[in-house]
Amino acid sequence: MNSQFFETDFVEHLIDMLEQQLGKQTEIVLHDLRNGYEHTIVDIRNGEVTGRVVGGTGSNLGLEVLKGTSGHGDKYNYITKLPDGRYLRSSSLYIRDGDGTTIGCLCINTDITETLRFEQVLKEMNRCDVTNAENEIFVSDVNQLLECLIKKTQEKIGKPPEKMSREDKISFVRQLNEKGAFLITKSGERVQEYLGISKYTLYNYLDQTKNQKD
């Protein structure tokens, strides 16, 4: 890579673009690592995020990369905590010359402290755990509701009607009954048709499920 890489128009335009795209809460930092680690920052935008300026230095993670104890160094979308309690979501991309020597780094640090607080406030306001959400079905007519119940029950059984055993069909009828499906007018006829059984068999299955549990 050309040694004048850090002074190219491309790099300047790239950092301009990132600054405009990511906004004031995101710091963009370009480090030149060719001349030691004391004064590596050659360009920085929104430096108030970490309180650094041009002529400043990098972080402890950068030292680990230069030392060779942190692999190739590139790291994306990781979280860091600052001494003042703020949180940053960061990404670091290391720049290498033609020989593979690390000569620089482009870092992006977004202060997510406030959005984490908003997230907590929203959780407290919503007061819910969506992982335990009820599977409520909303339809335009009762026949659609029945079809949805039949479909969901079949999915739980895991087999199409033609491959269900007698025990599977009894379980199918029991689950529909527990969901209140047979309160729907003519639901029995639809279930008979779906399972390929007679009215007598359906009632027999219902009788068997009264005291049966999975």
Side-chain angles (χ1 to χ4, degrees):
M1 180 179 291
N2 191 302
S3 62
Q4 301 302 314
F5 169 78
F6 297 93
E7 292 79 33
T8 60
D9 288 341
F10 170 77
V11 172
E12 183 176 355
H13 292 328
L14 173 62
I15 296 176
D16 286 342
M17 179 190 71
L18 291 173
E19 179 184 13
Q20 294 297 316
Q21 176 71 24
L22 300 175
K24 290 295 184 181
Q25 296 302 315
T26 298
E27 175 188 75
I28 304 102
V29 193
L30 180 64
H31 295 277
D32 184 345
L33 303 175
R34 295 173 295 179
N35 300 308
Y37 206 66
E38 288 75 21
H39 307 287
T40 64
I41 298 177
V42 293
D43 196 344
I44 186 168
R45 312 294 172 87
N46 304 320
E48 59 272 14
V49 171
T50 61
R52 294 179 296 174
V53 296
V54 170
T57 189
S59 70
N60 60 305
L61 298 181
L63 279 176
E64 293 176 9
V65 172
L66 292 180
K67 180 64 176 177
T69 56
S70 184
H72 58 73
D74 294 349
K75 195 173 183 181
Y76 309 136
N77 201 35
Y78 59 95
I79 304 299
T80 55
K81 185 177 182 180
L82 301 181
D84 63 7
R86 288 181 296 132
Y87 289 91
L88 303 181
R89 183 166 57 83
S90 305
S91 290
S92 300
L93 178 66
Y94 284 82
I95 303 164
R96 295 168 179 80
D97 63 15
D99 297 324
T101 301
T102 300
I103 62 172
C105 181
L106 179 62
C107 300
I108 296 174
N109 304 302
T110 301
D111 189 338
I112 60 171
T113 308
E114 289 303 313
T115 55
L116 287 175
R117 289 174 183 163
F118 294 157
E119 184 177 327
Q120 184 60 39
V121 169
L122 290 173
K123 285 182 178 179
E124 292 174 358
M125 289 179 62
N126 289 333
R127 300 175 63 84
C128 68
D129 180 0
V130 295
T131 59
N132 296 321
E134 296 286 344
N135 292 315
E136 189 166 3
I137 303 169
F138 297 95
V139 293
S140 58
D141 67 65
V142 74
N143 290 324
Q144 289 181 3
L145 178 58
L146 177 61
E147 292 303 320
C148 286
L149 291 173
I150 288 174
K151 180 181 178 182
K152 286 184 175 295
T153 305
Q154 184 272 319
E155 289 173 352
K156 288 187 66 175
I157 297 294
K159 301 175 185 177
E162 61 272 15
K163 292 188 177 181
M164 289 184 191
S165 65
R166 181 174 181 277
E167 289 71 23
D168 292 330
K169 291 181 178 180
I170 292 174
S171 178
F172 184 92
V173 169
R174 179 184 58 77
Q175 292 182 54
L176 280 181
N177 190 40
E178 290 175 350
K179 292 180 173 65
F182 293 107
L183 297 176
I184 298 174
T185 303
K186 297 186 178 180
S187 57
E189 296 176 11
R190 175 66 182 110
V191 173
Q192 293 166 38
E193 176 188 14
Y194 184 80
L195 294 179
I197 60 176
S198 66
K199 182 177 180 180
Y200 172 81
T201 301
L202 174 62
Y203 283 126
N204 181 263
Y205 287 173
L206 284 169
D207 286 339
Q208 292 187 55
T209 63
K210 285 181 180 179
N211 299 313
Q212 181 181 350
K213 295 182 179 180
D214 281 339

